[in-house]
Amino acid sequence: MFIIPEVARLTTLALGVSLLVLSVGSASAARSQAAAPGSIARAFAIQVTVPGQGGSSAASVSAPPDAVGVGGSFAFPADGSVVSAGSVTSGAFASRGSSATASASAEASSITLFGGEVTVANVTARTRASATKRDATADFSGTAISGLVVSGQAVATGPGVRVAIGDWAHAVTLQQGTSSLDSVESKGERAFASVLHVRVTADHNGIPAGTEVMIGYAEASAQVPLVESPPVL
């Protein structure tokens, strides 16, 4: 069968345009679905990474669905030479709809780092968020750290305070904040709290540079659509 070249070119072009439209439509749908408003919460009591040794976490949870983490004691590695805690707990809760809410919390107590060079009595991270079409709020009230001791000396803490640990590591306390999730399509708010973040910057007593320990992290966000989306067919 003889095909006119111009017709063949037009047919090929039309097919290409159709495929492009389908591709763009699918990508847009995926982005819209991924960015769909709702409530999200997550928390962990301890998270540690050690170059060459991997890492671990304690009482790590996320919602939805609602989750509670009760891990008892924790140590990494098994001998606790990097970090150990007498008890760890956490929780994450989220509900969606016209009135969205989320909350997350994490606690750890009797904490020892680097064979006792750093100790902490208690760490608590708490965040909450809520949103309706009229208003959205979030906060980190209740987040706290107590009994931080470095090289045998009690250390004062506060939001964003940087604490030197010898000349080989440092810690930052109470990194926390809120941010708006408002857009033309939705209203929302987010809160996060990181109570203690320790970074090892030089090799020390067998602990390699690059080791990081986060103790007490919580994050909560709530968001509601201002206009209900039509059902996807």
Side-chain angles (χ1 to χ4, degrees), residues 95-167:
S95 64
R96 301 182 177 185
S98 58
S99 180
T101 63
S103 63
S105 64
E107 294 187 41
S109 62
S110 303
I111 304 154
T112 300
L113 294 100
F114 315 128
E117 296 197 56
V118 178
T119 60
V120 188
N122 193 73
V123 158
T124 302
R126 295 188 189 280
T127 56
R128 287 168 294 276
S130 62
T132 66
K133 290 182 179 181
R134 289 187 173 186
D135 190 28
T137 62
D139 69 82
F140 45 80
S141 60
T143 295
I145 178 172
S146 63
L148 175 61
V149 176
V150 177
S151 301
Q153 299 295 316
V155 176
T157 61
V161 170
R162 181 184 172 105
V163 179
I165 303 172
D167 59 357

Short mmCIF file of all heavy atoms in Angstrom, two decimals, residues 95-167:
data_model
loop_
_atom_site.label_atom_id
_atom_site.label_comp_id
_atom_site.label_asym_id
_atom_site.label_seq_id
_atom_site.Cartn_x
_atom_site.Cartn_y
_atom_site.Cartn_z
N SER A 95 -5.03 12.85 61.75
CA SER A 95 -6.39 12.69 61.23
C SER A 95 -6.62 13.71 60.13
O SER A 95 -6.18 14.86 60.23
CB SER A 95 -7.43 12.89 62.34
OG SER A 95 -7.39 14.22 62.83
N ARG A 96 -7.29 13.29 59.07
CA ARG A 96 -7.53 14.14 57.92
C ARG A 96 -9.00 14.49 57.81
O ARG A 96 -9.83 13.95 58.50
CB ARG A 96 -7.03 13.44 56.66
CG ARG A 96 -5.54 13.11 56.69
CD ARG A 96 -5.05 12.47 55.43
NE ARG A 96 -3.60 12.24 55.49
CZ ARG A 96 -2.88 11.78 54.48
NH1 ARG A 96 -3.47 11.50 53.33
NH2 ARG A 96 -1.58 11.62 54.62
N GLY A 97 -9.30 15.43 56.91
CA GLY A 97 -10.68 15.84 56.71
C GLY A 97 -10.79 17.35 56.73
O GLY A 97 -9.80 18.08 56.57
N SER A 98 -12.01 17.87 56.96
CA SER A 98 -12.22 19.32 56.97
C SER A 98 -11.55 19.97 58.18
O SER A 98 -11.30 21.17 58.18
CB SER A 98 -13.71 19.63 56.97
OG SER A 98 -14.35 19.03 58.10
N SER A 99 -11.28 19.19 59.23
CA SER A 99 -10.53 19.66 60.38
C SER A 99 -9.39 18.67 60.61
O SER A 99 -9.57 17.61 61.21
CB SER A 99 -11.43 19.74 61.61
OG SER A 99 -10.69 20.19 62.74
N ALA A 100 -8.20 19.01 60.12
CA ALA A 100 -7.06 18.09 60.16
C ALA A 100 -6.20 18.35 61.39
O ALA A 100 -5.99 19.50 61.78
CB ALA A 100 -6.22 18.26 58.91
N THR A 101 -5.72 17.29 62.00
CA THR A 101 -4.84 17.42 63.16
C THR A 101 -3.70 16.42 63.06
O THR A 101 -3.82 15.37 62.41
CB THR A 101 -5.59 17.17 64.48
OG1 THR A 101 -6.08 15.82 64.49
CG2 THR A 101 -6.74 18.14 64.65
N ALA A 102 -2.59 16.75 63.71
CA ALA A 102 -1.45 15.85 63.77
C ALA A 102 -0.65 16.15 65.03
O ALA A 102 -0.57 17.31 65.46
CB ALA A 102 -0.56 16.00 62.54
N SER A 103 -0.07 15.11 65.62
CA SER A 103 0.81 15.31 66.77
C SER A 103 1.87 14.22 66.78
O SER A 103 1.64 13.10 66.31
CB SER A 103 0.01 15.28 68.09
OG SER A 103 -0.58 14.01 68.29
N ALA A 104 3.03 14.58 67.30
CA ALA A 104 4.13 13.61 67.38
C ALA A 104 4.95 13.89 68.63
O ALA A 104 5.08 15.05 69.04
CB ALA A 104 5.02 13.69 66.13
N SER A 105 5.49 12.84 69.21
CA SER A 105 6.33 13.02 70.40
C SER A 105 7.37 11.91 70.47
O SER A 105 7.19 10.82 69.92
CB SER A 105 5.47 12.99 71.67
OG SER A 105 4.87 11.72 71.84
N ALA A 106 8.47 12.23 71.14
CA ALA A 106 9.53 11.25 71.36
C ALA A 106 10.23 11.59 72.67
O ALA A 106 10.44 12.77 72.97
CB ALA A 106 10.52 11.26 70.21
N GLU A 107 10.56 10.56 73.43
CA GLU A 107 11.25 10.76 74.70
C GLU A 107 12.37 9.74 74.86
O GLU A 107 12.25 8.59 74.42
CB GLU A 107 10.28 10.64 75.87
CG GLU A 107 9.22 11.73 75.92
CD GLU A 107 8.38 11.67 77.18
OE1 GLU A 107 8.97 11.43 78.26
OE2 GLU A 107 7.16 11.85 77.10
N ALA A 108 13.44 10.18 75.50
CA ALA A 108 14.54 9.27 75.85
C ALA A 108 15.10 9.74 77.19
O ALA A 108 15.15 10.94 77.47
CB ALA A 108 15.63 9.28 74.79
N SER A 109 15.53 8.78 78.01
CA SER A 109 16.08 9.14 79.32
C SER A 109 17.31 8.31 79.63
O SER A 109 17.55 7.26 79.01
CB SER A 109 15.02 8.95 80.42
OG SER A 109 14.62 7.60 80.49
N SER A 110 18.08 8.79 80.60
CA SER A 110 19.32 8.13 81.04
C SER A 110 20.21 7.83 79.84
O SER A 110 20.57 6.68 79.55
CB SER A 110 19.01 6.83 81.80
OG SER A 110 18.18 7.09 82.91
N ILE A 111 20.59 8.91 79.14
CA ILE A 111 21.32 8.80 77.87
C ILE A 111 22.83 8.96 78.12
O ILE A 111 23.27 9.85 78.85
CB ILE A 111 20.85 9.89 76.89
CG1 ILE A 111 19.33 9.78 76.70
CG2 ILE A 111 21.58 9.80 75.57
CD1 ILE A 111 18.67 11.09 76.32
N THR A 112 23.61 8.10 77.47
CA THR A 112 25.07 8.16 77.55
C THR A 112 25.64 8.12 76.14
O THR A 112 25.24 7.28 75.33
CB THR A 112 25.64 6.99 78.37
OG1 THR A 112 25.11 7.03 79.70
CG2 THR A 112 27.15 7.05 78.42
N LEU A 113 26.56 9.03 75.84
CA LEU A 113 27.22 9.05 74.54
C LEU A 113 28.73 8.94 74.70
O LEU A 113 29.31 9.51 75.64
CB LEU A 113 26.90 10.34 73.78
CG LEU A 113 25.45 10.55 73.34
CD1 LEU A 113 24.74 11.48 74.32
CD2 LEU A 113 25.38 11.13 71.94
N PHE A 114 29.35 8.21 73.78
CA PHE A 114 30.80 8.13 73.68
C PHE A 114 31.45 7.68 74.99
O PHE A 114 32.39 8.31 75.49
CB PHE A 114 31.38 9.48 73.23
CG PHE A 114 30.61 10.10 72.09
CD1 PHE A 114 30.15 11.40 72.17
CD2 PHE A 114 30.32 9.35 70.95
CE1 PHE A 114 29.44 11.98 71.12
CE2 PHE A 114 29.60 9.92 69.89
CZ PHE A 114 29.16 11.23 69.98
N GLY A 115 30.90 6.61 75.54
CA GLY A 115 31.49 6.01 76.73
C GLY A 115 31.39 6.87 77.97
O GLY A 115 32.19 6.73 78.90
N GLY A 116 30.43 7.80 78.01
CA GLY A 116 30.23 8.61 79.20
C GLY A 116 30.78 10.02 79.10
O GLY A 116 30.64 10.81 80.04
N GLU A 117 31.40 10.37 77.97
CA GLU A 117 31.92 11.74 77.82
C GLU A 117 30.79 12.76 77.73
O GLU A 117 30.98 13.94 78.04
CB GLU A 117 32.82 11.83 76.60
CG GLU A 117 34.08 10.96 76.74
CD GLU A 117 35.17 11.32 75.76
OE1 GLU A 117 35.57 12.50 75.74
OE2 GLU A 117 35.61 10.44 75.01
N VAL A 118 29.62 12.30 77.33
CA VAL A 118 28.42 13.13 77.32
C VAL A 118 27.28 12.33 77.93
O VAL A 118 27.08 11.17 77.57
CB VAL A 118 28.02 13.56 75.89
CG1 VAL A 118 26.74 14.40 75.91
CG2 VAL A 118 29.15 14.35 75.23
N THR A 119 26.54 12.94 78.85
CA THR A 119 25.36 12.28 79.42
C THR A 119 24.20 13.28 79.43
O THR A 119 24.40 14.49 79.50
CB THR A 119 25.60 11.78 80.85
OG1 THR A 119 25.95 12.87 81.70
CG2 THR A 119 26.72 10.73 80.88
N VAL A 120 22.99 12.74 79.36
CA VAL A 120 21.77 13.55 79.37
C VAL A 120 20.74 12.85 80.23
O VAL A 120 20.52 11.64 80.08
CB VAL A 120 21.19 13.76 77.95
CG1 VAL A 120 20.06 14.78 77.99
CG2 VAL A 120 22.27 14.18 76.97
N ALA A 121 20.10 13.60 81.12
CA ALA A 121 19.09 12.99 81.99
C ALA A 121 17.82 12.65 81.21
O ALA A 121 17.31 11.53 81.28
CB ALA A 121 18.76 13.93 83.15
N ASN A 122 17.31 13.64 80.46
CA ASN A 122 16.04 13.41 79.77
C ASN A 122 15.90 14.33 78.56
O ASN A 122 16.33 15.48 78.58
CB ASN A 122 14.86 13.65 80.72
CG ASN A 122 13.56 13.14 80.16
OD1 ASN A 122 13.32 11.95 80.10
ND2 ASN A 122 12.70 14.05 79.72
N VAL A 123 15.28 13.79 77.52
CA VAL A 123 15.01 14.53 76.28
C VAL A 123 13.56 14.31 75.90
O VAL A 123 13.08 13.16 75.92
CB VAL A 123 15.94 14.05 75.15
CG1 VAL A 123 15.36 14.38 73.78
CG2 VAL A 123 17.33 14.66 75.29
N THR A 124 12.86 15.38 75.56
CA THR A 124 11.46 15.27 75.12
C THR A 124 11.22 16.17 73.92
O THR A 124 11.53 17.36 73.95
CB THR A 124 10.48 15.70 76.24
OG1 THR A 124 10.70 14.91 77.40
CG2 THR A 124 9.03 15.53 75.78
N ALA A 125 10.67 15.60 72.86
CA ALA A 125 10.29 16.36 71.67
C ALA A 125 8.78 16.23 71.49
O ALA A 125 8.25 15.12 71.50
CB ALA A 125 11.01 15.83 70.44
N ARG A 126 8.10 17.37 71.33
CA ARG A 126 6.64 17.35 71.15
C ARG A 126 6.25 18.38 70.08
O ARG A 126 6.69 19.53 70.14
CB ARG A 126 5.91 17.68 72.45
CG ARG A 126 6.10 16.66 73.56
CD ARG A 126 5.19 16.97 74.75
NE ARG A 126 5.50 16.14 75.89
CZ ARG A 126 5.10 14.88 76.03
NH1 ARG A 126 4.36 14.32 75.10
NH2 ARG A 126 5.42 14.19 77.10
N THR A 127 5.41 17.96 69.15
CA THR A 127 4.89 18.88 68.14
C THR A 127 3.41 18.60 67.90
O THR A 127 2.96 17.46 68.05
CB THR A 127 5.63 18.74 66.79
OG1 THR A 127 5.57 17.37 66.36
CG2 THR A 127 7.08 19.16 66.92
N ARG A 128 2.69 19.66 67.52
CA ARG A 128 1.27 19.55 67.21
C ARG A 128 0.94 20.48 66.06
O ARG A 128 1.57 21.55 65.92
CB ARG A 128 0.41 19.94 68.43
CG ARG A 128 0.39 18.92 69.55
CD ARG A 128 -0.24 19.51 70.80
NE ARG A 128 0.60 20.58 71.32
CZ ARG A 128 1.65 20.36 72.11
NH1 ARG A 128 1.95 19.14 72.48
NH2 ARG A 128 2.38 21.38 72.54
N ALA A 129 -0.06 20.11 65.26
CA ALA A 129 -0.52 20.97 64.17
C ALA A 129 -2.01 20.72 63.94
O ALA A 129 -2.50 19.61 64.15
CB ALA A 129 0.25 20.69 62.89
N SER A 130 -2.71 21.76 63.53
CA SER A 130 -4.13 21.62 63.21
C SER A 130 -4.47 22.61 62.10
O SER A 130 -3.83 23.66 61.96
CB SER A 130 -5.02 21.87 64.43
OG SER A 130 -4.86 23.20 64.89
N ALA A 131 -5.49 22.27 61.31
CA ALA A 131 -5.87 23.15 60.21
C ALA A 131 -7.33 22.97 59.85
O ALA A 131 -7.88 21.87 59.90
CB ALA A 131 -5.00 22.85 58.98
N THR A 132 -7.97 24.09 59.54
CA THR A 132 -9.30 24.12 58.94
C THR A 132 -9.21 25.08 57.75
O THR A 132 -8.15 25.67 57.49
CB THR A 132 -10.36 24.64 59.93
OG1 THR A 132 -10.08 26.02 60.22
CG2 THR A 132 -10.35 23.83 61.23
N LYS A 133 -10.30 25.27 57.06
CA LYS A 133 -10.29 26.21 55.93
C LYS A 133 -10.09 27.65 56.39
O LYS A 133 -9.66 28.49 55.61
CB LYS A 133 -11.59 26.08 55.13
CG LYS A 133 -11.72 24.78 54.37
CD LYS A 133 -13.00 24.73 53.56
CE LYS A 133 -13.10 23.42 52.78
NZ LYS A 133 -14.35 23.35 51.97
N ARG A 134 -10.37 27.93 57.66
CA ARG A 134 -10.25 29.29 58.19
C ARG A 134 -8.89 29.57 58.83
O ARG A 134 -8.40 30.69 58.81
CB ARG A 134 -11.35 29.56 59.21
CG ARG A 134 -12.73 29.68 58.62
CD ARG A 134 -13.70 30.12 59.70
NE ARG A 134 -15.03 30.43 59.17
CZ ARG A 134 -16.01 30.93 59.89
NH1 ARG A 134 -15.82 31.19 61.18
NH2 ARG A 134 -17.19 31.19 59.34
N ASP A 135 -8.29 28.55 59.45
CA ASP A 135 -7.10 28.82 60.26
C ASP A 135 -6.23 27.57 60.35
O ASP A 135 -6.71 26.45 60.20
CB ASP A 135 -7.53 29.26 61.67
CG ASP A 135 -6.37 29.80 62.47
OD1 ASP A 135 -5.43 30.32 61.86
OD2 ASP A 135 -6.41 29.68 63.71
N ALA A 136 -4.94 27.81 60.60
CA ALA A 136 -4.00 26.71 60.80
C ALA A 136 -2.98 27.13 61.85
O ALA A 136 -2.50 28.27 61.86
CB ALA A 136 -3.30 26.35 59.49
N THR A 137 -2.66 26.22 62.76
CA THR A 137 -1.69 26.51 63.82
C THR A 137 -0.77 25.31 64.02
O THR A 137 -1.12 24.17 63.67
CB THR A 137 -2.38 26.83 65.15
OG1 THR A 137 -3.14 25.67 65.57
CG2 THR A 137 -3.32 28.02 65.02
N ALA A 138 0.40 25.57 64.59
CA ALA A 138 1.33 24.50 64.94
C ALA A 138 2.24 24.99 66.05
O ALA A 138 2.50 26.20 66.17
CB ALA A 138 2.15 24.08 63.72
N ASP A 139 2.73 24.08 66.89
CA ASP A 139 3.63 24.48 67.97
C ASP A 139 4.51 23.31 68.40
O ASP A 139 4.25 22.15 68.03
CB ASP A 139 2.85 25.02 69.17
CG ASP A 139 2.06 23.95 69.88
OD1 ASP A 139 2.66 23.22 70.70
OD2 ASP A 139 0.85 23.83 69.62
N PHE A 140 5.55 23.63 69.15
CA PHE A 140 6.47 22.63 69.68
C PHE A 140 6.58 22.75 71.19
O PHE A 140 7.61 22.40 71.79
CB PHE A 140 7.85 22.76 69.02
CG PHE A 140 8.34 24.19 68.93
CD1 PHE A 140 8.91 24.81 70.04
CD2 PHE A 140 8.19 24.91 67.77
CE1 PHE A 140 9.35 26.12 69.97
CE2 PHE A 140 8.63 26.22 67.68
CZ PHE A 140 9.21 26.84 68.79
N SER A 141 5.54 23.26 71.84
CA SER A 141 5.57 23.43 73.29
C SER A 141 5.71 22.07 73.99
O SER A 141 5.15 21.08 73.55
CB SER A 141 4.31 24.14 73.78
OG SER A 141 3.16 23.40 73.44
N GLY A 142 6.46 22.06 75.06
CA GLY A 142 6.72 20.80 75.77
C GLY A 142 8.03 20.16 75.38
O GLY A 142 8.48 19.20 76.02
N THR A 143 8.67 20.69 74.32
CA THR A 143 9.98 20.18 73.92
C THR A 143 11.04 20.67 74.91
O THR A 143 11.09 21.86 75.24
CB THR A 143 10.32 20.67 72.49
OG1 THR A 143 9.39 20.10 71.58
CG2 THR A 143 11.73 20.28 72.09
N ALA A 144 11.88 19.75 75.38
CA ALA A 144 12.84 20.14 76.43
C ALA A 144 14.00 19.15 76.53
O ALA A 144 13.92 18.01 76.07
CB ALA A 144 12.13 20.22 77.78
N ILE A 145 15.08 19.63 77.14
CA ILE A 145 16.23 18.79 77.46
C ILE A 145 16.68 19.14 78.86
O ILE A 145 16.68 20.33 79.24
CB ILE A 145 17.38 18.98 76.44
CG1 ILE A 145 18.60 18.12 76.81
CG2 ILE A 145 17.77 20.45 76.32
CD1 ILE A 145 19.69 18.12 75.74
N SER A 146 17.04 18.15 79.64
CA SER A 146 17.50 18.42 81.01
C SER A 146 18.71 17.55 81.32
O SER A 146 18.86 16.44 80.82
CB SER A 146 16.39 18.14 82.03
OG SER A 146 16.01 16.78 82.01
N GLY A 147 19.59 18.11 82.16
CA GLY A 147 20.74 17.35 82.66
C GLY A 147 21.79 17.03 81.64
O GLY A 147 22.37 15.94 81.65
N LEU A 148 22.13 18.00 80.76
CA LEU A 148 23.21 17.77 79.80
C LEU A 148 24.55 18.01 80.48
O LEU A 148 24.80 19.09 81.04
CB LEU A 148 23.06 18.71 78.59
CG LEU A 148 24.19 18.68 77.55
CD1 LEU A 148 24.32 17.30 76.93
CD2 LEU A 148 23.95 19.73 76.46
N VAL A 149 25.42 17.00 80.44
CA VAL A 149 26.74 17.08 81.06
C VAL A 149 27.78 16.68 80.03
O VAL A 149 27.67 15.62 79.40
CB VAL A 149 26.83 16.15 82.29
CG1 VAL A 149 28.25 16.16 82.87
CG2 VAL A 149 25.81 16.55 83.35
N VAL A 150 28.79 17.53 79.84
CA VAL A 150 29.87 17.27 78.88
C VAL A 150 31.20 17.27 79.63
O VAL A 150 31.53 18.26 80.31
CB VAL A 150 29.88 18.34 77.76
CG1 VAL A 150 31.07 18.09 76.81
CG2 VAL A 150 28.57 18.32 76.99
N SER A 151 31.92 16.18 79.55
CA SER A 151 33.22 16.03 80.22
C SER A 151 33.12 16.37 81.70
O SER A 151 33.99 17.06 82.27
CB SER A 151 34.27 16.92 79.54
OG SER A 151 34.41 16.57 78.18
N GLY A 152 32.02 15.94 82.33
CA GLY A 152 31.84 16.13 83.76
C GLY A 152 31.30 17.48 84.17
O GLY A 152 31.10 17.72 85.37
N GLN A 153 31.04 18.37 83.21
CA GLN A 153 30.55 19.70 83.53
C GLN A 153 29.12 19.89 83.01
O GLN A 153 28.83 19.59 81.85
CB GLN A 153 31.45 20.77 82.89
CG GLN A 153 32.90 20.73 83.36
CD GLN A 153 33.02 21.06 84.85
OE1 GLN A 153 32.40 22.01 85.33
NE2 GLN A 153 33.83 20.28 85.57
N ALA A 154 28.24 20.39 83.89
CA ALA A 154 26.87 20.69 83.47
C ALA A 154 26.90 21.81 82.44
O ALA A 154 27.66 22.77 82.56
CB ALA A 154 26.03 21.10 84.68
N VAL A 155 26.05 21.69 81.43
CA VAL A 155 26.03 22.65 80.33
C VAL A 155 24.64 23.25 80.20
O VAL A 155 23.63 22.54 80.21
CB VAL A 155 26.41 21.95 78.99
CG1 VAL A 155 26.28 22.92 77.83
CG2 VAL A 155 27.82 21.39 79.08
N ALA A 156 24.59 24.59 80.09
CA ALA A 156 23.31 25.27 79.87
C ALA A 156 22.86 25.05 78.44
O ALA A 156 23.68 25.01 77.51
CB ALA A 156 23.47 26.76 80.15
N THR A 157 21.55 24.89 78.25
CA THR A 157 21.01 24.64 76.92
C THR A 157 19.95 25.69 76.57
O THR A 157 19.46 26.40 77.44
CB THR A 157 20.38 23.25 76.84
OG1 THR A 157 19.29 23.16 77.79
CG2 THR A 157 21.39 22.16 77.14
N GLY A 158 19.63 25.76 75.31
CA GLY A 158 18.60 26.68 74.84
C GLY A 158 18.41 26.49 73.35
O GLY A 158 19.14 25.70 72.72
N PRO A 159 17.44 27.17 72.75
CA PRO A 159 17.19 27.02 71.32
C PRO A 159 18.42 27.38 70.48
O PRO A 159 18.97 28.48 70.58
CB PRO A 159 16.05 28.01 71.06
CG PRO A 159 15.35 28.12 72.39
CD PRO A 159 16.44 28.05 73.39
N GLY A 160 18.89 26.42 69.70
CA GLY A 160 20.01 26.65 68.79
C GLY A 160 21.37 26.79 69.44
O GLY A 160 22.33 27.21 68.79
N VAL A 161 21.50 26.44 70.72
CA VAL A 161 22.79 26.56 71.41
C VAL A 161 23.76 25.48 70.92
O VAL A 161 23.41 24.30 70.87
CB VAL A 161 22.61 26.45 72.94
CG1 VAL A 161 23.98 26.33 73.63
CG2 VAL A 161 21.86 27.65 73.46
N ARG A 162 24.96 25.91 70.55
CA ARG A 162 26.00 24.99 70.09
C ARG A 162 26.96 24.71 71.24
O ARG A 162 27.45 25.64 71.89
CB ARG A 162 26.75 25.59 68.90
CG ARG A 162 27.85 24.71 68.32
CD ARG A 162 28.57 25.48 67.23
NE ARG A 162 29.75 24.80 66.75
CZ ARG A 162 29.85 24.14 65.60
NH1 ARG A 162 28.80 24.10 64.79
NH2 ARG A 162 30.96 23.56 65.23
N VAL A 163 27.20 23.43 71.50
CA VAL A 163 28.04 23.01 72.63
C VAL A 163 29.25 22.25 72.10
O VAL A 163 29.10 21.25 71.38
CB VAL A 163 27.24 22.10 73.59
CG1 VAL A 163 28.14 21.65 74.75
CG2 VAL A 163 26.01 22.83 74.12
N ALA A 164 30.45 22.71 72.45
CA ALA A 164 31.67 22.01 72.03
C ALA A 164 31.88 20.76 72.88
O ALA A 164 31.66 20.78 74.09
CB ALA A 164 32.87 22.94 72.15
N ILE A 165 32.29 19.69 72.23
CA ILE A 165 32.66 18.46 72.93
C ILE A 165 34.12 18.23 72.60
O ILE A 165 34.48 17.67 71.56
CB ILE A 165 31.79 17.26 72.47
CG1 ILE A 165 30.30 17.58 72.67
CG2 ILE A 165 32.18 16.00 73.22
CD1 ILE A 165 29.37 16.55 72.06
N GLY A 166 35.01 18.70 73.49
CA GLY A 166 36.44 18.68 73.20
C GLY A 166 36.71 19.44 71.92
O GLY A 166 36.05 20.43 71.60
N ASP A 167 37.68 18.93 71.16
CA ASP A 167 37.97 19.51 69.84
C ASP A 167 37.62 18.52 68.73
O ASP A 167 38.09 18.65 67.60
CB ASP A 167 39.44 19.92 69.75
CG ASP A 167 40.39 18.75 69.97
OD1 ASP A 167 39.91 17.62 70.25
OD2 ASP A 167 41.62 18.94 69.87
#
